[in-house]
Amino acid sequence: MKRTTLAAIALAVTAGLGLAGCSGAAGPADQPAANGKTKLTVSVWNYEGTPEFKALFDSYEAANPNIDIEPVDILADDYPQKVTTMLAGGDTTDVLTMKNVIDYSRYASNGQLQEIGDVVDKVGKDKLAGLDAFDMNGKYYAAPYRQDFWLLYYNKDLLKAAGVEDPKDLTWDEYTALAKKLTTTGADGKKVYGTYHHIWRSVVEAISAAQNGQDQNSGDYGYFEDQYNTALDLQKSGATLDFGTAKSQKTSYRTMFETGQAAMMPMGTWYIAGILQAKKDGKTNVNWGLAPMPQKNDDGKVTTFGSPTAFAVNKNAVHSDEAKKFIEWASGEEGAKAISKIGVVPALQNDAVKDAYFKLDGMPTDELSKKAFTPDTTALEMPVSDKSAATDKVLNQEHELIMVGERSVTDGIAEMGKRVKSEVLGQ
């Protein structure tokens, strides 16, 4: 397996732009394959630091010895913009990884992806979590292979030391009270926070939208109020590290949890792979478990939010048929097994996949952790819309002002609505 770096992509795109008037753009997929194999190119981000890609590619090559997968490696922070540039230049990379549904919507609407409804049908529409996000008027231009969602990580030893039971079926009020109870300062002056809320707005806004059944693109955000009051109460009481400190010091959520500085932490399922690896490498000895996200209501139903990751076929792919076969495999049971082995949550969920997942070395096997893995409803972190990117920018800016105390909750929410309606919705 050979990696194509961003420098090679830039050169190919530049050449393609220069030749667009005569013979079309060139890309890495135009290069001949070695040893008589078909070379399938796949765009990825941070290949060395994202083990799911290697797990998928190695497994697929082993099952298909006539295929040689070449990752087109792009810096994670640059990924959306670079893929946009590549597509605009007529790049011929075969498979494009859809990092988020906002970019997917734009590429599909621009006619830059191939329709792959036949692939989705073969895998099974009812088997793929997160598939609805890729429904474009009844057509699919990508298929998800992983589905992340948010739940609650907790330190079993810290809760036990405080004489507290595992955090089962918590409401947000109960969660707040528990976080305050778990906050301690030792004789050495070292503080342990009852919980840790990372600086991302999703821990306030996306969960609020999900549990209130609201649309973040609406321009009406009164439903954010309770969740902001919860977040600020935790911060004011000292039960979580304050937003300003976390942002200015670029605090790592992994460090907060893995060093025992936080007893609880709302976070996405992607972190499971990270903590399993940290335990394996001896970098942490935290005794951890999973619980469902705290809920607005105490009706026993669990609603959370998440986001799928998918593969799509480039409109200009050199090897379209091979690309579709790869996506069918990656989104299906074999691909699900490949990434489950390293702690990544697949989009395809069945009893066999779930059983294999909880047999991973270091994975908690208690019933509460298993329950956390099967929420009743997983809403999209951000709606699929051509308005979402602009709305996200406004909401991020106003979120920061509220969390550092420069705006009150009431004024901040009002400003969000005013700006989204005028700057994004044109109202």
Side-chain angles (χ1 to χ4, degrees):
M1 186 186 298
K2 177 184 176 185
R3 250 195 318 158
T4 296
T5 63
L6 183 57
I9 287 292
L11 183 61
V13 170
T14 302
L17 288 171
L19 295 173
C22 43
S23 59
D30 294 315
Q31 301 166 11
N35 303 321
K37 296 182 178 181
T38 297
K39 182 177 66 176
L40 189 69
T41 50
V42 184
S43 71
V44 301
W45 59 87
N46 189 20
Y47 181 75
E48 296 298 336
T50 312
E52 71 198 62
F53 293 130
K54 180 173 173 56
L56 284 170
F57 299 166
D58 286 353
S59 295
Y60 189 73
E61 287 179 341
N64 298 271
N66 62 318
I67 299 293
D68 181 22
I69 296 181
E70 180 176 315
V72 177
D73 198 7
I74 301 171
L75 291 174
D77 289 344
D78 296 340
Y79 188 80
Q81 183 56 47
K82 297 303 179 184
V83 172
T84 298
T85 301
M86 289 162 57
L87 291 174
D91 177 83
T92 56
T93 299
D94 296 306
V95 178
L96 302 168
T97 308
M98 298 290 102
K99 194 174 184 181
N100 61 64
V101 295
I102 299 174
D103 292 329
Y104 162 76
S105 177
R106 185 171 70 253
Y107 302 147
S109 297
N110 289 343
Q112 295 169 314
L113 307 177
Q114 294 186 31
E115 200 273 325
I116 58 169
D118 55 338
V119 172
V120 171
D121 288 338
K122 289 177 182 177
V123 177
K125 291 181 180 178
D126 59 334
K127 296 180 180 179
L128 292 174
L131 179 63
D132 287 349
F134 303 96
D135 185 343
M136 302 283 287
N137 298 317
K139 295 184 177 181
Y140 298 91
Y141 299 87
Y145 67 91
R146 69 178 286 178
Q147 167 68 34
D148 286 301
F149 58 90
W150 281 56
L151 34 64
L152 185 67
Y153 294 77
Y154 69 99
N155 185 314
K156 292 187 174 184
D157 291 340
L158 290 177
L159 268 68
K160 184 177 180 180
V164 174
E165 295 182 355
D166 290 344
K168 182 180 179 181
D169 299 328
L170 294 178
T171 63
W172 284 106
D173 287 342
E174 292 168 339
Y175 164 78
T176 299
L178 179 58
K180 292 176 180 178
K181 182 175 182 177
L182 292 170
T183 301
T184 60
T185 301
D188 57 358
K190 182 180 178 181
K191 184 170 184 176
V192 174
Y193 295 93
T195 192
Y196 175 67
H197 284 193
H198 202 44
I199 61 174
W200 301 324
R201 70 174 186 84
S202 291
V203 74
V204 176
E205 297 179 358
I207 191 62
S208 183
Q211 294 184 354
N212 285 281
Q214 297 292 329
D215 179 359
Q216 291 177 77
N217 283 324
S218 68
D220 295 314
Y221 302 112
Y223 62 90
F224 284 167
E225 184 174 357
D226 287 347
Q227 207 64 29
Y228 268 114
N229 287 335
T230 294
L232 292 173
D233 182 26
L234 287 167
Q235 184 171 278
K236 183 178 180 180
S237 69
T240 186
L241 183 67
D242 68 276
F243 182 95
T245 300
K247 184 174 178 64
S248 64
Q249 295 185 358
K250 298 182 179 180
T251 300
S252 165
Y253 66 82
R254 292 190 57 168
T255 298
M256 290 295 294
F257 192 73
E258 290 170 22
T259 59
Q261 294 181 66
M264 300 185 291
M265 182 176 70
M267 189 53 61
T269 49
W270 61 81
Y271 178 45
I272 293 173
I275 195 170
L276 287 176
Q277 190 62 48
K279 291 275 283 190
K280 182 178 180 181
D281 295 342
K283 295 179 179 179
T284 182
N285 61 359
V286 65
N287 180 19
W288 62 288
L290 300 171
M293 277 287 276
Q295 298 294 301
K296 176 185 177 181
N297 300 314
D298 59 357
D299 58 5
K301 298 292 185 180
V302 176
T303 297
T304 186
F305 69 92
S307 184
T309 308
F311 288 124
V313 181
N314 187 349
K315 187 72 171 181
N316 295 321
V318 173
H319 305 294
S320 294
D321 290 342
E322 290 81 359
K324 290 180 180 179
K325 290 177 183 177
F326 166 75
I327 294 174
E328 180 184 341
W329 180 93
S331 297
E333 187 161 333
E334 293 307 311
K337 289 178 180 178
I339 61 175
S340 292
K341 290 178 182 178
I342 60 169
V344 174
V345 181
L348 185 143
Q349 283 290 310
N350 56 32
D351 289 341
V353 171
K354 183 179 177 181
D355 289 345
Y357 198 93
F358 277 92
K359 289 179 181 178
L360 290 171
D361 186 27
M363 190 74 184
T365 57
D366 58 275
E367 290 305 311
L368 183 58
S369 293
K370 291 181 180 180
K371 178 181 178 181
F373 218 69
T374 54
D376 296 288
T377 303
T378 302
L380 267 179
E381 184 168 3
M382 192 67 185
V384 179
S385 168
D386 58 357
K387 309 292 185 184
S388 293
T391 298
D392 180 65
K393 182 178 180 180
V394 171
L395 295 183
N396 267 313
Q397 291 170 347
E398 296 301 326
H399 170 70
E400 181 170 336
L401 294 176
I402 292 174
M403 293 305 298
V404 298
E406 290 190 24
R407 286 200 204 281
S408 68
V409 172
T410 300
D411 290 346
I413 289 175
E415 189 65 16
M416 288 177 191
K418 179 181 177 181
R419 290 187 58 193
V420 168
K421 287 177 180 178
S422 64
E423 298 175 22
V424 181
L425 304 177
Q427 297 179 3

